């Protein structure tokens, strides 16, 4: 078993849920998260400020802080059998890829075991 965690844009959650459901993956968890990618601040924009020669305008302050701001995203998590991982990852990529920064990230993690609380079922039967 594997857990697939996908961090996607807020406005893509319904499309992603629908695409997964259409392909028979109805079980998932979703939560709002905040984060940012590895976009770097362009310090050449603020060289004069660093040297103390100039005061920062509100517009420039916004541009500089943009690289450090946390953005709202959605974290989708689902547990699937090993042979289903490739299909789920493809669904998530095909649904969320716009070819732009911020389209998201997908992580695949091993799951040691699963137990359904109500019935005591273990392993794949529990998911």
């Amino acid at each position: 078993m594997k857990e697939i965690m996908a961090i996607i844009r807020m406005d893509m959650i319904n499309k992603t849920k629908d695409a997964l459901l259409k392909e028979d993956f109805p079980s998932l968890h979703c939560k709002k998260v905040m984060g940012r990618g590895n976009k770097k601040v362009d310090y050449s924009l603020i060289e004069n400020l660093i040297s103390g020669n100039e005061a920062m305008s509100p517009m420039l302050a916004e541009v500089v802080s943009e690289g450090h701001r946390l953005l709202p995203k959605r974290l989708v998590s689902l547990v699937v059998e090993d042979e289903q991982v490739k299909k789920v990852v493809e669904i998530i990529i095909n649904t969320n890829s716009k070819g732009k920064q911020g389209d998201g990230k997908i992580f695949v993690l091993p799951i040691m075991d699963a137990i359904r609380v109500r019935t005591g079922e273990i392993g794949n039967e529990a998911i």
Side-chain angles (χ1 to χ4, degrees), residues 19-33:
L20 289 166
L21 180 60
K22 182 179 176 185
E23 295 295 326
D24 206 25
F25 296 101
S27 301
L28 57 86
H29 295 89
C30 182
K31 70 190 278 189
K32 292 179 184 178
V33 295

Side-chain angles (χ1 to χ4, degrees), residues 79-105:
V79 177
V80 299
E81 296 177 20
D82 290 353
E83 54 274 359
Q84 296 174 318
V85 170
K86 184 177 179 183
K87 184 175 182 179
V88 171
V89 168
E90 286 175 359
I91 292 167
I92 294 170
I93 289 172
N94 291 338
T95 305
N96 289 275
S97 181
K98 295 180 178 182
K100 298 180 182 177
Q101 287 183 341
D103 281 350
K105 294 272 193 298

Side-chain angles (χ1 to χ4, degrees), residues 39-83:
K39 183 178 175 184
K40 304 288 189 264
V41 174
D42 182 1
Y43 287 103
S44 67
L45 296 171
I46 58 170
E47 284 178 1
N48 287 336
L49 296 173
I50 294 171
S51 64
N53 297 336
E54 206 174 292
M56 186 179 294
S57 72
M59 185 186 304
L60 184 57
E62 184 176 333
V63 169
V64 172
S65 69
E66 184 71 23
H68 293 290
R69 189 172 61 159
L70 296 177
L71 301 172
K73 297 285 186 174
R74 287 286 189 160
L75 173 63
V76 178
S77 170
L78 58 160
V79 177
V80 299
E81 296 177 20
D82 290 353
E83 54 274 359

